[in-house]
Amino acid sequence: MAYNFEFYAPTKVIFGKNTEDEIGKQAKAFGASSVLVVYGGGSAKRSGLLEKVEASLSAQSIAFRELGGIVPNPRLDKVREGIRMGKEHNVDFLLAVGGGSAIDTAKAIAYGLAEPEYDVWELFAHTRTARKCLPVASVLTIAAAGSETSRGCVITNEHTGEKRVYDDNLARPRFTVMNPEYTKTLPDYQTESGCVDIMMHTMERYFTNGGNMEITDALAEGLLRTVMKNAVKLHHQPGNYEARSEIMWAGSLAHNDLTGCGNDGGDFMSHKLEHELGGMFDVTHGAGLAAIWPSWARYVCRECLPRFVRYARNVMGIAIAGTDEEIAEAGIRAMEDFYHSIGMPVNLDELGVHPTGRQIEEMAERCMAACGNHTGSAKKLTLEDMIHIYTNAAKSR
Ligand code: NZQ
Ligand code: ZN
């Protein structure tokens, strides 16, 4: 039965070739007069995109400052630096040029500037909720995290090794400009990690034990099949614009909550387990998810068997006869084969991470603490379950 839901996806999407020319006009229409442009380690500079963004802002007489050097698994200190700059220059609008890391940094700065009397980390530590946030927008250069339309914001406290999420509709971007051409410069590993992340945002909402709708399942299954097909294409033809477009739009739809309407909010334990890996070992988020998912799936599938069978049949195309357990296992194996086919890992060894027993316990303890009351939907996990999932993921098959 479908659960009640609210669907809120306010982000204006400007998609396609040359859309970066629109940035200044859009920013002006959304009230920007002093912009902080947030970007990463240099890809946006090298491609010439940053220069175009700034020319587009200047053409509308919008003042701007730059904050570059955002790293993957973006850090709290950089957020604090952005808040300081924003205060100094009366910034009233945040524009991220990049992927999830630049966008999440921009969101966190936007929270910090809107309520300067508080420490921004309190949001991520879940000791308070935000009442305000400055407007945020993005120019997306990698299809992956979905932050361009999501309410999520993920920041790593480099002093404690905690990678934490703060979810709030206040930070949903006002607009996002997406030109798939700019994703052609991505290294294959980043393209494919992004494809895994997009799939996982859909799968986290699919493997649930509460509330289902046929229309939501059909959207999710169609999205997953489309991403798989185009992820394989891009592995062999990275310059394929059509495939880049499919993946880029899928990334936004996968995490704007569309594929979760009518369910119980999703499972999200693969994500939470991966965030601890990111906090401790600084791994690429999508690749970390690929390395955790098979272990999670085998551990929980008996508790959520109808969904795993449906997934095997409708997404992975498993046509064999057999018990539900055999069909579910065939689906998980097919998923591993798919990950391998696009150069992704299926366990921690292949990810290049070799945690000690103590590190596994520590990740599980931190994950448990970060989860609050929500420890899954396919199966509610205990601390021991988390330790088993990490331990099984650490064994290569
Ligand atoms: O820093 P630059 O030089 O730009 O290089 C980046 C970075 O090294 C590179 N890149 C991006 N666009 C490029 C490019 N290289 C060449 N050409 C381009 N066009 O790709 C690398 C990864 O960038 P990043 O922004 O980190 O990628 P992604 O979008 O995967 O973001 C990952 C972060 O988002 C969080 C993840 O946990 C991670 O911290 N997430 C955020 C979510 C949200 N806010 O809703 C949800 C997700 O589940 C996720 O947790
Ligand atoms: Zn993700």
Side-chain angles (χ1 to χ4, degrees), residues 40-44 46 70 72-74 98-102 104 107 141-142 144-147 150 152-154 163 182-183 185-187 190 197 201 255 271 274-275 285:
S43 73
R46 284 192 299 278
I70 310 305
N73 296 318
S101 298
D104 288 357
K107 287 178 177 177
T141 65
I142 171 172
S147 186
S150 83
C153 178
V154 190
K163 180 174 176 178
Y182 282 101
T183 66
T185 50
L186 278 163
Q190 289 295 341
D197 195 18
H201 292 154
H255 207 32
H271 261 77
E274 191 288 329
H275 281 167
H285 174 60

Side-chain angles (χ1 to χ4, degrees), residues 345-361:
V346 301
N347 55 50
L348 296 186
D349 182 41
E350 290 179 8
L351 182 66
V353 165
H354 303 97
T356 62
R358 181 59 211 134
Q359 284 174 320
I360 284 178
E361 281 168 15

